Amino acid sequence: MAAEIVNSRSDGNTDQDGGAEPHDSFDPAFALHRGGKMAVQATVPVRDKDDLSLAYTPGVARVCTAIAEQPELVHDYTWKSSVVAVVTDGTAVLGLGDIGPEASLPVMEGKAILFKQFGGVDAVPIALDCTGVDEIVETVARLAPSFGGVNLEDISAPRCFEIERKLQERLDIPVFHDDQHGTAVVTLAALRNAAKLTGRSVGELRAVISGAGAAGVAIAKMLIEAGIGDVAVADRKGVVSADRDDLTPVKRELAGFTNKAGLTGSLERALEGADVFIGVSGGTVPEEAVASMAEGAFVFAMANPNPEVHPDVAHKYASVVATGRSDFPNQINNVLAFPGIFAGALQVRASRITEGMKIAAAEALAAVVGDDVRADYVIPSPFDERVAPAVTAAVAAAARAEGVARR
């Protein structure tokens, strides 16, 4: 039986035993979350015995037999091609850190309803009670026949890199770690428009990224793919450079394709004369370091809830300022990317999400702003109804061009 994921709310303020609701009584977030934010709803009627005989036995047996004989029919006669697994182990949840699988569920439910709201894609939250790389890979791989794609969410670095790589090697459906690639897509889109606004190309820019975790590494890779002039990444110990002997394998790889200028030392030193600051670290950047950046610089301080550079400070020195918060202009929000990316990939039954598909998503997202670009509008709102269709179409076309589409 086909089904869809729908939003679900309970309006009651008492529990099943009639007791008081201490949280719901003063916090509307608890009231909204009571009973969860999702439910499963049938998309076909079961009103009488005839409906029952088609939705279930004996009619369902004919469909099962057909799929057994022609496995590709599963995409046409089940929900597989329109549903994504949202998978976490609860080790890097929002800004809360390692809070475990149960505590991660409200976030995973939220992610699932964003898939539906903004991309028309059904999604199922799956919180795993394991953290080992091979355990997670094996578990997700065994669940994969039920899904058209896998969205990895809130899994701590560096394990997230290996988990994504191993799953994509093993599965023939898209595997996408949104904390990495969703952030990178939206960042590149905003950067393209900021450059356009100031009469420059991405290739003329030197960027400094604060944070060498999942998002920082993915942003660096995407900026290199997009042809940026140079990009250096800094972690807690300073610029990630080839001369350091304390780098993890991921950071050693990062040092190999970034920092053409050969910068060493602190983040503050790297920012001297830089055109772009991108913050995905949660640290604080001194005002004097921001002041040392090039004229007309861009500051994308995306840590939540406290940006690395407060917008009031950034605006003193930067021509374009973006954050990860919804209460300031230019919010770098992953919801601008992942629903449309998966919708496009599922539409053409893509076997994977390529770098070309991600670049296409960023270009489509930037194009939504178009000629309306201005300092406080380099990225569209998640509620702009043009976003998801534009990203979906661009990703589907890129998948066909790159040979990973199967229809």
Side-chain angles (χ1 to χ4, degrees), residues 237-320:
K237 297 182 179 180
V239 175
V240 175
S241 55
D243 66 321
R244 283 177 49 180
D245 59 6
D246 60 346
L247 300 179
T248 65
V250 170
K251 291 180 183 178
R252 278 199 300 272
E253 179 189 2
L254 185 64
F257 64 82
T258 60
N259 194 19
K260 290 188 295 187
L263 301 174
T264 59
S266 67
L267 168 71
E268 290 80 5
R269 181 178 175 185
L271 280 174
E272 294 176 7
D275 302 294
V276 185
F277 169 75
I278 297 171
V280 283
S281 66
T284 300
V285 177
E287 181 173 347
E288 54 268 28
V290 182
S292 75
M293 295 177 68
E295 185 177 353
F298 313 144
V299 172
F300 293 1
M302 299 187 288
N304 265 315
N306 299 311
E308 293 89 348
V309 183
H310 193 279
D312 291 344
V313 173
H315 278 297
K316 295 180 183 180
Y317 311 101
S319 61
V320 176

Side-chain angles (χ1 to χ4, degrees), residues 176-228:
F176 185 85
H177 184 208
D178 185 51
D179 298 329
Q180 294 182 57
H181 311 300
T183 305
V185 165
V186 183
T187 301
L188 176 58
L191 186 60
R192 283 193 182 280
N193 278 336
K196 174 182 176 181
L197 180 68
T198 56
R200 289 176 283 180
S201 69
V202 170
E204 298 175 65
L205 304 175
R206 178 171 74 84
V208 177
I209 299 173
S210 175
V217 171
I219 292 169
K221 288 182 177 179
M222 182 158 286
L223 294 185
I224 293 291
E225 187 76 18
I228 196 165

Side-chain angles (χ1 to χ4, degrees), residues 95-362:
L96 304 174
D98 185 356
I99 60 175
E102 287 87 356
S104 77
L105 271 174
V107 177
M108 299 310 113
E109 288 183 2
K111 199 80 174 188
I113 66 173
L114 294 180
F115 265 108
K116 187 68 174 179
Q117 177 73 24
F118 293 103
V121 174
D122 289 324
V124 177
I126 298 176
L128 301 179
D129 188 18
C130 58
T131 58
V133 169
D134 291 336
E135 287 180 294
I136 292 174
V137 170
E138 187 64 28
T139 302
V140 176
R142 290 179 181 275
L143 291 169
S146 295
F147 301 101
V150 175
N151 186 82
L152 300 174
E153 189 75 21
D154 292 350
I155 298 173
S156 63
R159 295 174 309 116
C160 59
F161 302 111
E162 188 176 4
I163 290 167
E164 182 186 42
R165 178 182 59 78
K166 286 187 172 184
L167 279 172
Q168 191 60 85
E169 288 173 353
R170 183 162 172 177
L171 302 178
D172 66 346
I173 58 175
V175 178
F176 185 85
H177 184 208
D178 185 51
D179 298 329
Q180 294 182 57
H181 311 300
T183 305
V185 165
V186 183
T187 301
L188 176 58
L191 186 60
R192 283 193 182 280
N193 278 336
K196 174 182 176 181
L197 180 68
T198 56
R200 289 176 283 180
S201 69
V202 170
E204 298 175 65
L205 304 175
R206 178 171 74 84
V208 177
I209 299 173
S210 175
V217 171
I219 292 169
K221 288 182 177 179
M222 182 158 286
L223 294 185
I224 293 291
E225 187 76 18
I228 196 165
D230 196 11
V231 57
V233 182
D235 61 11
R236 292 183 181 87
K237 297 182 179 180
V239 175
V240 175
S241 55
D243 66 321
R244 283 177 49 180
D245 59 6
D246 60 346
L247 300 179
T248 65
V250 170
K251 291 180 183 178
R252 278 199 300 272
E253 179 189 2
L254 185 64
F257 64 82
T258 60
N259 194 19
K260 290 188 295 187
L263 301 174
T264 59
S266 67
L267 168 71
E268 290 80 5
R269 181 178 175 185
L271 280 174
E272 294 176 7
D275 302 294
V276 185
F277 169 75
I278 297 171
V280 283
S281 66
T284 300
V285 177
E287 181 173 347
E288 54 268 28
V290 182
S292 75
M293 295 177 68
E295 185 177 353
F298 313 144
V299 172
F300 293 1
M302 299 187 288
N304 265 315
N306 299 311
E308 293 89 348
V309 183
H310 193 279
D312 291 344
V313 173
H315 278 297
K316 295 180 183 180
Y317 311 101
S319 61
V320 176
V321 177
T323 72
R325 288 173 46 157
S326 60
D327 54 345
F328 293 108
N330 295 327
Q331 184 190 20
I332 307 295
N333 191 331
N334 289 8
V335 77
L336 288 162
F338 68 82
I341 289 173
F342 267 100
L346 293 174
Q347 185 180 95
V348 297
R349 295 181 190 166
S351 58
R352 62 194 304 111
I353 294 171
T354 65
E355 290 302 312
M357 291 161 72
K358 289 180 275 188
I359 293 288

Side-chain angles (χ1 to χ4, degrees), residues 32-77:
L32 183 142
H33 282 77
R34 173 151 294 280
K37 300 190 291 287
M38 301 172 57
V40 175
Q41 176 175 297
T43 60
V44 297
V46 184
R47 299 161 299 195
D48 52 37
K49 65 181 182 64
D50 292 332
D51 289 344
L52 183 60
S53 70
L54 290 174
Y56 201 56
T57 186
V60 72
R62 300 198 296 275
V63 181
C64 292
T65 300
I67 294 172
E69 294 171 352
Q70 300 180 61
E72 68 275 9
L73 292 178
V74 69
H75 298 284
D76 297 313
Y77 295 107

